Amino acid sequence: MSSPTLDQLHTYHAQERVIFSKLVLQFSRSPSESLLVMATWFWLENFGFEDIFATIFPLPDRLIASFANEAVSCFRCIESSDPPNGFDQIPLTSQYFQNHVSLPMIYKHRYTAIAGIKTFLNTICSRIFSDILAQVLPYSSPPYSVPGLHPSLIIPGFPHPTFGNINVMRPDLVDGVNTFNNNNSFLFPKGLWEWNDHSMESENDRTMFITFSRGFHVSQAEVKELFTNIFGEKCVVGVYMREDCVSSPNIFACNNDQQQSLFAKLVLDSVVTVDRILEGEKLQKFRINGKHIWARKYNEKKDGRTCFT
């Protein structure tokens, strides 16, 4: 399938563009927050809450603004490392959609949501809203250049600590030539018409950090057996642990007497499996062959310093 033209994308996402225009032009919301609101709605619609934009589009402006406020609650809930006990609920969103939606339910799928929102920001929002963003972001703002990418608008608030960066190409400047016209095609990732919910997952996104009790040796085979038995035969991509840690600079990493690894990296097939394992909790405890295993989300900054074979 050939890449869609920009006009085709604008037509296909006409309702979304009207809603986004209201957020940034009429309601004067910040571009970064408005982009996250739209990406959150895109993800929720893909997740199973159908016709979100078709439902919101005909509503009065005051209700659209209220829906946007609840979308902000959604992505702020996802940003938090703690469950949403202290967050307000989202009654309007729950009322208008057939399936029950709540902040605890969204948080239970936190890592799936983060990966999905990042993908929608970069595959759809960055393209279909660029001309609208150019109306609120001064053209005097100097574009920054990323090797291999077109000149981009600077969006205050990005890179985002949870949802990463977004590359929004300037509609007035693409290699010095205006290619945003009716006759030229624009380059889009293959499969944009059909959403691939794993398209921007990195290995770190779908990695768990596993720890063991000192004195109870757990093998790679046991780790794989445990998780495949519970979460499916193909859920484990790899188990990485350091079996011989005598030379490790991390004195907490190993029991040198037994050369026992006290931790492992568990790479899974998708972030969906990460959420299935954690079920909205920071830490889950498992047991195999009488030995305990603790699993939490892998943090590259915190855990990346740890040695693995």
Side-chain angles (χ1 to χ4, degrees):
M1 181 183 295
S2 61
S3 298
T5 65
L6 190 62
D7 281 347
Q8 287 175 323
L9 282 174
H10 283 183
T11 300
Y12 187 77
H13 292 289
Q15 290 183 338
E16 292 92 325
R17 283 173 51 79
V18 170
I19 294 170
F20 184 73
S21 293
K22 287 188 175 184
L23 294 180
V24 296
L25 301 178
Q26 189 171 329
F27 304 159
S28 299
R29 286 182 176 265
S30 72
S32 59
E33 182 181 89
S34 299
L35 285 165
L36 286 169
V37 165
M38 298 301 292
T40 299
W41 282 334
F42 273 119
W43 175 75
L44 282 170
E45 192 168 75
N46 177 75
F47 190 69
F49 299 98
E50 298 179 355
D51 301 323
I52 286 181
F53 295 107
T55 300
I56 294 174
F57 178 74
L59 295 176
D61 288 349
R62 61 179 181 82
L63 285 181
I64 294 176
S66 296
F67 263 107
N69 290 336
E70 292 191 359
V72 172
S73 295
C74 289
F75 72 71
R76 286 183 177 168
C77 165
I78 295 166
E79 291 174 355
S80 175
S81 60
D82 297 312
N85 296 330
F87 284 88
D88 293 333
Q89 295 300 305
I90 44 177
L92 190 64
T93 304
S94 298
Q95 174 187 341
Y96 270 79
F97 300 112
Q98 294 180 351
N99 296 329
H100 176 68
V101 57
S102 66
L103 294 182
M105 183 280 294
I106 291 172
Y107 195 82
K108 192 173 181 179
H109 301 277
R110 180 187 179 212
Y111 294 104
T112 304
I114 290 172
I117 289 172
K118 286 195 295 187
T119 301
F120 276 117
L121 279 171
N122 284 281
T123 59
I124 296 183
C125 295
S126 64
R127 291 163 167 83
I128 66 173
F129 302 139
S130 60
D131 58 326
I132 301 169
L133 287 166
Q135 297 179 52
V136 294
L137 295 172
Y139 273 40
S140 58
S141 297
Y144 67 89
S145 295
V146 178
L149 296 177
H150 293 295
S152 303
L153 289 169
I154 293 177
I155 313 292
F158 287 100
H160 189 277
T162 300
F163 302 108
N165 208 355
I166 180 172
N167 183 50
V168 180
M169 285 154 281
R170 286 182 58 159
D172 66 317
L173 184 61
V174 180
D175 292 336
V177 179
N178 181 10
T179 61
F180 284 67
N181 57 52
N182 294 333
N183 299 319
N184 291 326
S185 294
F186 198 69
L187 295 178
F188 293 92
K190 183 178 180 181
L192 183 61
W193 292 117
E194 296 182 4
W195 156 243
N196 174 6
D197 58 356
H198 303 310
S199 62
M200 293 196 69
E201 289 182 13
S202 68
E203 182 174 294
N204 285 338
D205 289 336
R206 47 189 172 85
T207 297
M208 306 287 295
F209 191 77
I210 311 298
T211 55
F212 317 113
S213 296
R214 188 179 298 274
F216 295 88
H217 177 76
V218 179
S219 68
Q220 290 171 303
E222 286 177 307
V223 173
K224 183 174 182 179
E225 177 187 351
L226 170 67
F227 287 96
T228 54
N229 284 345
I230 300 174
F231 301 102
E233 182 181 354
K234 297 182 179 180
C235 75
V236 175
V237 174
V239 180
Y240 305 95
M241 63 173 64
R242 187 172 177 89
E243 297 288 358
D244 179 7
C245 293
V246 174
S247 62
S248 171
N250 185 345
I251 62 173
F252 299 105
C254 310
N255 182 329
N256 288 336
D257 293 334
Q258 300 181 17
Q259 295 185 357
Q260 173 207 349
S261 179
L262 296 182
F263 54 81
K265 274 174 59 176
L266 174 66
V267 181
L268 300 164
D269 57 340
S270 75
V271 291
V272 174
T273 308
V274 173
D275 283 322
R276 289 176 61 206
I277 291 172
L278 290 176
E279 295 185 321
E281 301 294 332
K282 291 183 179 180
L283 186 71
Q284 289 287 6
K285 183 179 179 180
F286 300 91
R287 186 182 179 94
I288 185 170
N289 299 329
K291 295 172 283 190
H292 292 126
I293 294 177
W294 288 266
R296 63 168 170 81
K297 182 67 178 66
Y298 177 76
N299 182 316
E300 185 177 16
K301 290 183 179 179
K302 179 179 179 181
D303 305 320
R305 296 187 297 270
T306 310
C307 61
F308 292 95
T309 54

